[in-house]
PDB file of all heavy atoms in Angstrom:
ATOM      1  N   PRO A   1      83.686 129.088 137.175  1.00 66.00           N
ATOM      2  CA  PRO A   1      84.097 128.337 135.970  1.00 66.00           C
ATOM      3  C   PRO A   1      84.730 126.998 136.541  1.00 66.00           C
ATOM      4  O   PRO A   1      85.238 126.923 137.722  1.00 66.00           O
ATOM      5  CB  PRO A   1      85.212 129.299 135.378  1.00 66.00           C
ATOM      6  CG  PRO A   1      84.874 130.655 135.927  1.00 66.00           C
ATOM      7  CD  PRO A   1      84.310 130.377 137.302  1.00 66.00           C
ATOM      8  N   PRO A   2      84.795 126.020 135.681  1.00 62.00           N
ATOM      9  CA  PRO A   2      85.368 124.770 136.201  1.00 62.00           C
ATOM     10  C   PRO A   2      86.776 124.816 136.653  1.00 62.00           C
ATOM     11  O   PRO A   2      87.144 124.153 137.581  1.00 62.00           O
ATOM     12  CB  PRO A   2      85.172 123.821 134.924  1.00 62.00           C
ATOM     13  CG  PRO A   2      85.162 124.790 133.768  1.00 62.00           C
ATOM     14  CD  PRO A   2      84.376 125.967 134.261  1.00 62.00           C
ATOM     15  N   GLY A   3      87.545 125.649 136.033  1.00 58.00           N
ATOM     16  CA  GLY A   3      88.939 125.778 136.384  1.00 58.00           C
ATOM     17  C   GLY A   3      89.154 126.461 137.698  1.00 58.00           C
ATOM     18  O   GLY A   3      90.218 126.420 138.348  1.00 58.00           O
ATOM     19  N   ASP A   4      88.101 127.029 138.277  1.00 60.00           N
ATOM     20  CA  ASP A   4      88.205 127.756 139.575  1.00 60.00           C
ATOM     21  C   ASP A   4      87.704 126.875 140.736  1.00 60.00           C
ATOM     22  O   ASP A   4      87.854 127.258 141.817  1.00 60.00           O
ATOM     23  CB  ASP A   4      87.374 129.061 139.571  1.00 60.00           C
ATOM     24  CG  ASP A   4      87.987 130.125 138.676  1.00 60.00           C
ATOM     25  OD1 ASP A   4      89.110 129.973 138.352  1.00 60.00           O
ATOM     26  OD2 ASP A   4      87.240 130.995 138.334  1.00 60.00           O
ATOM     27  N   ARG A   5      87.087 125.711 140.418  1.00 59.00           N
ATOM     28  CA  ARG A   5      86.649 124.850 141.479  1.00 59.00           C
ATOM     29  C   ARG A   5      87.788 124.073 142.064  1.00 59.00           C
ATOM     30  O   ARG A   5      88.635 123.447 141.296  1.00 59.00           O
ATOM     31  CB  ARG A   5      85.606 123.814 140.844  1.00 59.00           C
ATOM     32  CG  ARG A   5      84.353 124.503 140.416  1.00 59.00           C
ATOM     33  CD  ARG A   5      83.280 123.559 139.855  1.00 59.00           C
ATOM     34  NE  ARG A   5      82.180 124.226 139.380  1.00 59.00           N
ATOM     35  CZ  ARG A   5      81.712 124.159 138.111  1.00 59.00           C
ATOM     36  NH1 ARG A   5      82.412 123.422 137.256  1.00 59.00           N
ATOM     37  NH2 ARG A   5      80.664 124.750 137.750  1.00 59.00           N
ATOM     38  N   PRO A   6      87.857 124.060 143.395  1.00 61.00           N
ATOM     39  CA  PRO A   6      88.992 123.298 143.976  1.00 61.00           C
ATOM     40  C   PRO A   6      88.813 121.802 143.690  1.00 61.00           C
ATOM     41  O   PRO A   6      87.674 121.276 143.521  1.00 61.00           O
ATOM     42  CB  PRO A   6      88.873 123.545 145.504  1.00 61.00           C
ATOM     43  CG  PRO A   6      87.424 123.974 145.661  1.00 61.00           C
ATOM     44  CD  PRO A   6      87.014 124.679 144.405  1.00 61.00           C
ATOM     45  N   PRO A   7      89.974 121.076 143.584  1.00 65.00           N
ATOM     46  CA  PRO A   7      89.858 119.634 143.356  1.00 65.00           C
ATOM     47  C   PRO A   7      89.165 118.945 144.494  1.00 65.00           C
ATOM     48  O   PRO A   7      89.299 119.245 145.627  1.00 65.00           O
ATOM     49  CB  PRO A   7      91.273 119.215 143.190  1.00 65.00           C
ATOM     50  CG  PRO A   7      92.091 120.253 143.904  1.00 65.00           C
ATOM     51  CD  PRO A   7      91.327 121.523 143.727  1.00 65.00           C
ATOM     52  N   MET A   8      88.400 117.869 144.160  1.00 76.00           N
ATOM     53  CA  MET A   8      87.760 117.079 145.176  1.00 76.00           C
ATOM     54  C   MET A   8      88.752 116.354 146.053  1.00 76.00           C
ATOM     55  O   MET A   8      89.705 115.821 145.574  1.00 76.00           O
ATOM     56  CB  MET A   8      86.756 116.093 144.573  1.00 76.00           C
ATOM     57  CG  MET A   8      85.760 115.425 145.504  1.00 76.00           C
ATOM     58  SD  MET A   8      84.550 114.471 144.662  1.00 76.00           S
ATOM     59  CE  MET A   8      83.682 115.796 143.843  1.00 76.00           C
ATOM     60  N   LEU A   9      88.511 116.267 147.325  1.00 81.00           N
ATOM     61  CA  LEU A   9      89.371 115.627 148.236  1.00 81.00           C
ATOM     62  C   LEU A   9      89.165 114.160 148.280  1.00 81.00           C
ATOM     63  O   LEU A   9      88.000 113.692 148.489  1.00 81.00           O
ATOM     64  CB  LEU A   9      89.190 116.257 149.668  1.00 81.00           C
ATOM     65  CG  LEU A   9      89.826 117.545 150.060  1.00 81.00           C
ATOM     66  CD1 LEU A   9      89.421 118.032 151.399  1.00 81.00           C
ATOM     67  CD2 LEU A   9      91.339 117.495 149.898  1.00 81.00           C
ATOM     68  N   ARG A  10      90.152 113.421 147.985  1.00 85.00           N
ATOM     69  CA  ARG A  10      90.135 111.886 148.196  1.00 85.00           C
ATOM     70  C   ARG A  10      91.002 111.453 149.360  1.00 85.00           C
ATOM     71  O   ARG A  10      90.680 110.362 149.843  1.00 85.00           O
ATOM     72  CB  ARG A  10      90.650 111.270 146.853  1.00 85.00           C
ATOM     73  CG  ARG A  10      89.847 111.620 145.629  1.00 85.00           C
ATOM     74  CD  ARG A  10      88.373 111.158 145.807  1.00 85.00           C
ATOM     75  NE  ARG A  10      87.602 111.462 144.563  1.00 85.00           N
ATOM     76  CZ  ARG A  10      86.346 111.261 144.422  1.00 85.00           C
ATOM     77  NH1 ARG A  10      85.607 110.847 145.463  1.00 85.00           N
ATOM     78  NH2 ARG A  10      85.701 111.475 143.296  1.00 85.00           N
ATOM     79  N   TRP A  11      91.980 112.267 149.700  1.00 87.00           N
ATOM     80  CA  TRP A  11      92.909 111.898 150.750  1.00 87.00           C
ATOM     81  C   TRP A  11      93.100 113.116 151.610  1.00 87.00           C
ATOM     82  O   TRP A  11      93.117 114.235 151.065  1.00 87.00           O
ATOM     83  CB  TRP A  11      94.251 111.431 150.171  1.00 87.00           C
ATOM     84  CG  TRP A  11      94.141 110.225 149.214  1.00 87.00           C
ATOM     85  CD1 TRP A  11      93.881 110.221 147.904  1.00 87.00           C
ATOM     86  CD2 TRP A  11      94.090 108.876 149.561  1.00 87.00           C
ATOM     87  NE1 TRP A  11      93.740 108.990 147.454  1.00 87.00           N
ATOM     88  CE2 TRP A  11      93.937 108.064 148.448  1.00 87.00           C
ATOM     89  CE3 TRP A  11      94.320 108.170 150.786  1.00 87.00           C
ATOM     90  CZ2 TRP A  11      93.922 106.686 148.488  1.00 87.00           C
ATOM     91  CZ3 TRP A  11      94.328 106.803 150.789  1.00 87.00           C
ATOM     92  CH2 TRP A  11      94.139 106.055 149.687  1.00 87.00           C
ATOM     93  N   LEU A  12      93.448 112.927 152.822  1.00 88.00           N
ATOM     94  CA  LEU A  12      93.777 113.882 153.857  1.00 88.00           C
ATOM     95  C   LEU A  12      95.032 113.539 154.548  1.00 88.00           C
ATOM     96  O   LEU A  12      95.301 112.411 154.919  1.00 88.00           O
ATOM     97  CB  LEU A  12      92.617 114.165 154.789  1.00 88.00           C
ATOM     98  CG  LEU A  12      91.385 114.847 154.296  1.00 88.00           C
ATOM     99  CD1 LEU A  12      90.223 114.551 155.323  1.00 88.00           C
ATOM    100  CD2 LEU A  12      91.564 116.274 154.024  1.00 88.00           C
ATOM    101  N   GLN A  13      95.938 114.600 154.887  1.00 85.00           N
ATOM    102  CA  GLN A  13      96.975 114.305 155.797  1.00 85.00           C
ATOM    103  C   GLN A  13      96.652 114.951 157.155  1.00 85.00           C
ATOM    104  O   GLN A  13      96.334 116.138 157.219  1.00 85.00           O
ATOM    105  CB  GLN A  13      98.299 115.008 155.201  1.00 85.00           C
ATOM    106  CG  GLN A  13      98.799 114.419 153.900  1.00 85.00           C
ATOM    107  CD  GLN A  13     100.110 114.855 153.431  1.00 85.00           C
ATOM    108  OE1 GLN A  13     101.030 115.005 154.298  1.00 85.00           O
ATOM    109  NE2 GLN A  13     100.180 115.247 152.270  1.00 85.00           N
ATOM    110  N   ALA A  14      96.700 114.147 158.082  1.00 83.00           N
ATOM    111  CA  ALA A  14      96.234 114.592 159.496  1.00 83.00           C
ATOM    112  C   ALA A  14      97.171 114.117 160.548  1.00 83.00           C
ATOM    113  O   ALA A  14      97.834 113.098 160.403  1.00 83.00           O
ATOM    114  CB  ALA A  14      94.838 113.963 159.747  1.00 83.00           C
ATOM    115  N   GLY A  15      97.246 115.038 161.636  1.00 72.00           N
ATOM    116  CA  GLY A  15      98.132 114.622 162.715  1.00 72.00           C
ATOM    117  C   GLY A  15      97.482 113.656 163.680  1.00 72.00           C
ATOM    118  O   GLY A  15      96.330 113.971 164.123  1.00 72.00           O
ATOM    119  N   VAL A  16      98.144 112.593 164.042  1.00 73.00           N
ATOM    120  CA  VAL A  16      97.642 111.642 164.988  1.00 73.00           C
ATOM    121  C   VAL A  16      98.793 111.416 165.934  1.00 73.00           C
ATOM    122  O   VAL A  16      99.740 110.717 165.633  1.00 73.00           O
ATOM    123  CB  VAL A  16      97.276 110.283 164.362  1.00 73.00           C
ATOM    124  CG1 VAL A  16      96.726 109.332 165.356  1.00 73.00           C
ATOM    125  CG2 VAL A  16      96.180 110.512 163.270  1.00 73.00           C
ATOM    126  N   ARG A  17      98.753 112.061 167.172  1.00 74.00           N
ATOM    127  CA  ARG A  17      99.777 112.081 168.157  1.00 74.00           C
ATOM    128  C   ARG A  17     101.037 112.618 167.478  1.00 74.00           C
ATOM    129  O   ARG A  17     101.035 113.687 167.026  1.00 74.00           O
ATOM    130  CB  ARG A  17      99.884 110.698 168.809  1.00 74.00           C
ATOM    131  CG  ARG A  17      98.682 110.290 169.623  1.00 74.00           C
ATOM    132  CD  ARG A  17      98.864 108.890 170.310  1.00 74.00           C
ATOM    133  NE  ARG A  17      99.012 107.796 169.389  1.00 74.00           N
ATOM    134  CZ  ARG A  17      97.912 107.254 168.843  1.00 74.00           C
ATOM    135  NH1 ARG A  17      96.718 107.643 169.165  1.00 74.00           N
ATOM    136  NH2 ARG A  17      98.081 106.297 167.997  1.00 74.00           N
ATOM    137  N   ASP A  18     102.102 111.780 167.458  1.00 77.00           N
ATOM    138  CA  ASP A  18     103.376 112.243 166.881  1.00 77.00           C
ATOM    139  C   ASP A  18     103.554 111.818 165.451  1.00 77.00           C
ATOM    140  O   ASP A  18     104.708 111.689 164.975  1.00 77.00           O
ATOM    141  CB  ASP A  18     104.593 111.782 167.701  1.00 77.00           C
ATOM    142  CG  ASP A  18     104.623 110.231 167.900  1.00 77.00           C
ATOM    143  OD1 ASP A  18     103.615 109.611 167.508  1.00 77.00           O
ATOM    144  OD2 ASP A  18     105.641 109.777 168.313  1.00 77.00           O
ATOM    145  N   GLN A  19     102.480 111.476 164.765  1.00 76.00           N
ATOM    146  CA  GLN A  19     102.531 110.961 163.361  1.00 76.00           C
ATOM    147  C   GLN A  19     101.724 111.886 162.469  1.00 76.00           C
ATOM    148  O   GLN A  19     100.874 112.575 162.894  1.00 76.00           O
ATOM    149  CB  GLN A  19     102.024 109.524 163.332  1.00 76.00           C
ATOM    150  CG  GLN A  19     102.815 108.512 164.115  1.00 76.00           C
ATOM    151  CD  GLN A  19     102.219 107.193 164.058  1.00 76.00           C
ATOM    152  OE1 GLN A  19     100.953 106.972 163.930  1.00 76.00           O
ATOM    153  NE2 GLN A  19     102.983 106.141 164.223  1.00 76.00           N
ATOM    154  N   VAL A  20     102.024 111.701 161.210  1.00 78.00           N
ATOM    155  CA  VAL A  20     101.148 112.246 160.099  1.00 78.00           C
ATOM    156  C   VAL A  20     100.552 111.069 159.364  1.00 78.00           C
ATOM    157  O   VAL A  20     101.334 110.252 158.781  1.00 78.00           O
ATOM    158  CB  VAL A  20     101.971 113.227 159.217  1.00 78.00           C
ATOM    159  CG1 VAL A  20     101.071 113.695 158.089  1.00 78.00           C
ATOM    160  CG2 VAL A  20     102.467 114.426 159.955  1.00 78.00           C
ATOM    161  N   ARG A  21      99.318 110.938 159.331  1.00 83.00           N
ATOM    162  CA  ARG A  21      98.648 109.835 158.651  1.00 83.00           C
ATOM    163  C   ARG A  21      98.001 110.347 157.383  1.00 83.00           C
ATOM    164  O   ARG A  21      97.500 111.479 157.295  1.00 83.00           O
ATOM    165  CB  ARG A  21      97.578 109.239 159.570  1.00 83.00           C
ATOM    166  CG  ARG A  21      98.186 108.606 160.878  1.00 83.00           C
ATOM    167  CD  ARG A  21      97.067 107.719 161.441  1.00 83.00           C
ATOM    168  NE  ARG A  21      96.798 106.540 160.760  1.00 83.00           N
ATOM    169  CZ  ARG A  21      96.230 105.449 161.324  1.00 83.00           C
ATOM    170  NH1 ARG A  21      95.969 105.440 162.606  1.00 83.00           N
ATOM    171  NH2 ARG A  21      95.947 104.370 160.575  1.00 83.00           N
ATOM    172  N   VAL A  22      98.102 109.472 156.428  1.00 87.00           N
ATOM    173  CA  VAL A  22      97.378 109.753 155.117  1.00 87.00           C
ATOM    174  C   VAL A  22      96.105 108.957 155.132  1.00 87.00           C
ATOM    175  O   VAL A  22      96.055 107.749 155.229  1.00 87.00           O
ATOM    176  CB  VAL A  22      98.213 109.335 153.870  1.00 87.00           C
ATOM    177  CG1 VAL A  22      97.450 109.619 152.643  1.00 87.00           C
ATOM    178  CG2 VAL A  22      99.532 110.147 153.843  1.00 87.00           C
ATOM    179  N   ILE A  23      94.951 109.664 155.126  1.00 90.00           N
ATOM    180  CA  ILE A  23      93.591 109.097 155.424  1.00 90.00           C
ATOM    181  C   ILE A  23      92.754 109.248 154.141  1.00 90.00           C
ATOM    182  O   ILE A  23      92.588 110.318 153.662  1.00 90.00           O
ATOM    183  CB  ILE A  23      93.008 109.693 156.641  1.00 90.00           C
ATOM    184  CG1 ILE A  23      93.908 109.530 157.920  1.00 90.00           C
ATOM    185  CG2 ILE A  23      91.654 109.086 156.949  1.00 90.00           C
ATOM    186  CD1 ILE A  23      93.538 110.441 159.079  1.00 90.00           C
ATOM    187  N   ALA A  24      92.127 108.149 153.714  1.00 91.00           N
ATOM    188  CA  ALA A  24      91.200 108.217 152.630  1.00 91.00           C
ATOM    189  C   ALA A  24      89.907 108.924 153.221  1.00 91.00           C
ATOM    190  O   ALA A  24      89.441 108.517 154.269  1.00 91.00           O
ATOM    191  CB  ALA A  24      90.889 106.918 152.092  1.00 91.00           C
ATOM    192  N   THR A  25      89.363 109.828 152.474  1.00 92.00           N
ATOM    193  CA  THR A  25      88.117 110.536 152.997  1.00 92.00           C
ATOM    194  C   THR A  25      87.015 109.467 153.111  1.00 92.00           C
ATOM    195  O   THR A  25      86.194 109.665 154.024  1.00 92.00           O
ATOM    196  CB  THR A  25      87.657 111.640 152.016  1.00 92.00           C
ATOM    197  OG1 THR A  25      87.558 111.143 150.630  1.00 92.00           O
ATOM    198  CG2 THR A  25      88.622 112.792 152.047  1.00 92.00           C
ATOM    199  N   ALA A  26      86.980 108.467 152.397  1.00 92.00           N
ATOM    200  CA  ALA A  26      85.928 107.409 152.465  1.00 92.00           C
ATOM    201  C   ALA A  26      86.027 106.670 153.776  1.00 92.00           C
ATOM    202  O   ALA A  26      85.004 106.109 154.200  1.00 92.00           O
ATOM    203  CB  ALA A  26      86.122 106.394 151.298  1.00 92.00           C
ATOM    204  N   ASP A  27      87.184 106.754 154.485  1.00 95.00           N
ATOM    205  CA  ASP A  27      87.296 106.089 155.825  1.00 95.00           C
ATOM    206  C   ASP A  27      86.819 106.911 156.958  1.00 95.00           C
ATOM    207  O   ASP A  27      86.726 106.457 158.127  1.00 95.00           O
ATOM    208  CB  ASP A  27      88.752 105.634 155.983  1.00 95.00           C
ATOM    209  CG  ASP A  27      89.135 104.577 155.072  1.00 95.00           C
ATOM    210  OD1 ASP A  27      88.280 103.829 154.519  1.00 95.00           O
ATOM    211  OD2 ASP A  27      90.361 104.333 154.843  1.00 95.00           O
ATOM    212  N   VAL A  28      86.519 108.210 156.662  1.00 96.00           N
ATOM    213  CA  VAL A  28      86.147 109.154 157.710  1.00 96.00           C
ATOM    214  C   VAL A  28      84.546 108.840 158.054  1.00 96.00           C
ATOM    215  O   VAL A  28      83.746 108.865 157.083  1.00 96.00           O
ATOM    216  CB  VAL A  28      86.346 110.594 157.308  1.00 96.00           C
ATOM    217  CG1 VAL A  28      85.878 111.501 158.460  1.00 96.00           C
ATOM    218  CG2 VAL A  28      87.808 110.789 157.086  1.00 96.00           C
ATOM    219  N   VAL A  29      84.286 108.706 159.300  1.00 97.00           N
ATOM    220  CA  VAL A  29      82.869 108.538 159.708  1.00 97.00           C
ATOM    221  C   VAL A  29      82.147 109.872 159.764  1.00 97.00           C
ATOM    222  O   VAL A  29      81.095 110.105 159.239  1.00 97.00           O
ATOM    223  CB  VAL A  29      82.859 107.862 161.134  1.00 97.00           C
ATOM    224  CG1 VAL A  29      81.309 107.696 161.524  1.00 97.00           C
ATOM    225  CG2 VAL A  29      83.427 106.439 161.072  1.00 97.00           C
TER     226      VAL A  29
END
């Protein structure tokens, strides 16, 4: 059902060395 589908990812929080970066999925190669 539509309510059971997880929301589409537009942004990701990812660890980069000692930081947490907010990354747009469109920027991922």
Side-chain angles (χ1 to χ4, degrees):
D4 291 342
R5 296 181 182 120
M8 191 172 295
L9 283 173
R10 299 297 184 189
W11 303 88
L12 289 163
Q13 294 187 46
V16 181
R17 295 184 293 278
D18 60 346
Q19 300 175 329
V20 175
R21 297 191 69 159
V22 178
I23 303 167
T25 54
D27 292 338
V28 178
V29 177

